[in-house]
Amino acid sequence: MLESNAIDIQYVPHNQIQAILAQLEEQNRVPVLLLGHAQQSVVSAEFTQALIYLQSGLDSVGHNKGASCYELWTAEGVWKQGSWSPEDDLDSCISFCSSDEYLIGSLSIQLPSGHSLQQYSHRSYEQIIDFIGHQDKTHLLRMWNYFPDINVENNSFERYQQFCVGRHNAFSENAQTIIQYPAASAVGSYSSSSSAKLVIVFIATKKAGVFLENPNQTSAYHYPQHYSPKSPSFARAAFYQNLNSSQLYISGTASIVGHQSQFHNDIVGQTRQTIKNLEGLIEHANSQNEVRNVFDLSDSLARRPAIKVYLRNPADLAIVSPIIEEFLPDCDNICYLHADICRQELDIEIEMLVNNSKDS
Ligand code: 3EB
């Protein structure tokens, strides 16, 4: 096969990771990335078996009601691996791996006490843009952002807003490389101050993805200014098709209609609204010419999507998981993580990777 296949994301309980990794070779699949969502920061031997391995800084709150979980990305084809740092900052190192079609990278930066998150966000995004600008996969498709104290204010400037300003500036200063905003998630981790990290994971591709918005939600990059002096730079979803498969990467999605948060202090209401937003997005994707009919809603939801649920309050798991099971009966590829959501009044955010419903 000339073209590499799509990236598969699976959430694996701690006690199954070794067995799953051991089967990959026989399945001709490469472990391209292993992201630990661990109760303690366990760095065990299995980590080094993946081309990229790191910790998110987020705790799992029960994988299939069990223990901590790993996020394992696998793909077919030939992959090469490397690392890249700017000449003036060898501590800031991107770990990456790439195939013919995909470039996957990660950046995990220690945040010193008293740091300016805006500066770190700006610099990290600049570094990523500079890096992909030197590669042949220059189109950012999907990004994940994890950093501590996301709702904390410094001089009445919330850290999520600081992050948004840094990202926005880096993107707009490099508009020749960043032609479209990628799909994204951005949530708050809980790492103690001694291990406070900004963790960014990204997928870039050879040809541009198709970026989609949700008709029921204001595009984040058009949010009114009171949410952030520079708007959040992400698309609601990214669609990517290669020779033999297509996938829809849905950004972190919350209980927001238009630009307003809904169902304050109501986790059931927020979960149902978030699911409505996800369904609305998939339905909208199907109505677009570039995507049309690739994702039959019920079919593709039956094809083992990956679903990641960020919960502000781990105790909400018991309330949320039956609602998720109603949405995706029989789906076993679910991961629940303890994370702060970027708006103080929101308690849940959900992201998905949906696989196409047509076999090639
Ligand atoms: C929202 O819809 C919820 O800043 O990268 C979701 C996904 C959210 C990505 C980001 C923020 C981001 O506005 C928050």
Side-chain angles (χ1 to χ4, degrees):
M1 203 181 323
L2 285 176
E3 295 278 17
S4 319
N5 216 332
I7 298 165
D8 180 69
I9 296 182
Q10 53 181 314
Y11 304 111
V12 183
H14 187 256
N15 61 359
Q16 288 173 23
I17 187 72
Q18 264 164 348
I20 300 239
L21 284 168
Q23 289 164 10
L24 290 178
E25 203 166 333
E26 184 173 304
Q27 296 164 349
N28 280 321
R29 298 198 69 84
V30 180
V32 290
L33 182 137
L34 190 58
L35 182 59
H37 305 296
Q39 245 101 38
Q40 308 91 17
S41 64
V42 275
V43 179
S44 29
E46 53 265 25
F47 262 80
T48 58
Q49 293 175 37
L51 301 184
I52 301 175
Y53 54 96
L54 72 163
Q55 299 277 357
S56 65
L58 301 184
D59 282 345
S60 160
V61 293
H63 181 279
N64 296 336
K65 307 183 183 67
S68 57
C69 103
Y70 288 94
E71 180 169 337
L72 173 65
W73 298 15
T74 66
E76 290 181 348
V78 178
W79 288 74
K80 60 175 200 219
Q81 172 186 27
S83 61
W84 190 86
S85 5
E87 273 163 30
D88 60 348
D89 185 3
L90 299 177
D91 290 337
S92 175
C93 180
I94 293 175
S95 300
F96 70 90
C97 63
S98 61
S99 67
D100 286 346
E101 191 125 9
Y102 296 101
L103 172 62
I104 295 172
S106 75
L107 193 56
S108 177
I109 294 189
Q110 184 77 41
L111 298 167
S113 64
H115 64 275
S116 150
L117 188 65
Q118 179 180 329
Q119 193 188 329
Y120 272 83
S121 152
H122 191 173
R123 199 199 289 166
S124 304
Y125 270 80
E126 249 177 1
Q127 186 184 344
I128 291 168
I129 296 162
D130 189 29
F131 168 65
I132 59 170
H134 285 86
Q135 309 294 313
D136 58 346
K137 290 109 197 167
T138 51
H139 302 280
L140 284 172
L141 184 75
R142 179 65 166 101
M143 302 189 79
W144 287 262
N145 305 280
Y146 303 123
F147 54 89
D149 300 325
I150 193 167
N151 301 126
V152 171
E153 289 186 7
N154 303 128
N155 306 320
S156 31
F157 189 20
E158 198 188 25
R159 279 166 60 85
Y160 174 65
Q161 300 187 347
Q162 298 177 34
F163 164 79
C164 284
V165 173
R167 172 175 60 179
H168 188 106
N169 288 344
F171 278 165
S172 58
E173 286 155 16
N174 292 280
Q176 74 289 356
T177 311
I178 304 302
I179 294 152
Q180 286 170 296
Y181 293 143
S185 299
V187 298
S189 55
Y190 292 88
S191 38
S192 63
S193 55
S194 63
S195 66
K197 283 190 169 132
L198 169 61
V199 174
I200 303 177
V201 177
F202 61 89
I203 303 174
T205 50
K206 194 162 169 177
K207 58 185 171 79
V210 175
F211 296 94
L212 301 160
E213 293 303 304
N214 188 328
N216 303 317
Q217 295 188 299
T218 308
S219 296
Y221 47 81
H222 289 148
Y223 280 166
Q225 252 194 353
H226 65 264
Y227 293 107
S228 174
K230 296 278 182 78
S231 58
S233 324
F234 69 95
R236 295 291 177 194
F239 170 76
Y240 195 78
Q241 186 154 38
N242 61 30
L243 264 192
N244 45 30
S245 70
S246 49
Q247 292 184 302
L248 185 64
Y249 290 84
I250 306 181
S251 293
T253 301
S255 176
I256 297 172
V257 176
H259 56 77
Q260 273 157 342
S261 306
Q262 311 287 319
F263 300 105
H264 295 208
N265 299 315
D266 174 0
I267 185 67
V268 172
Q270 286 193 25
T271 306
R272 294 200 188 283
Q273 182 61 54
T274 302
I275 290 171
K276 254 187 219 167
N277 289 346
L278 292 165
E279 288 174 332
L281 190 284
I282 297 170
E283 210 164 292
H284 172 68
N286 272 316
S287 74
Q288 299 306 104
N289 278 338
E290 302 97 320
V291 187
R292 196 180 292 282
N293 297 329
V294 174
F295 299 98
D296 174 84
L297 184 60
S298 52
D299 266 22
S300 47
L301 293 185
R303 288 173 63 92
R304 203 170 192 262
I307 176 164
K308 194 151 127 200
V309 181
Y310 301 100
L311 295 176
R312 185 184 291 279
N313 306 304
D316 285 343
L317 177 68
I319 301 166
V320 171
S321 65
I323 306 175
I324 301 288
E325 277 160 34
E326 226 173 87
F327 171 45
L328 297 174
D330 308 322
C331 179
D332 60 352
N333 200 16
I334 308 176
C335 173
Y336 293 93
L337 299 174
H338 183 201
D340 284 337
I341 313 304
C342 65
R343 293 185 187 184
Q344 191 79 63
E345 71 278 12
L346 292 175
D347 296 316
I348 183 167
E349 181 173 312
I350 303 179
E351 66 179 50
M352 286 182 78
L353 172 55
V354 183
N355 299 303
N356 71 319
S357 54
K358 284 186 186 152
D359 281 316
S360 48

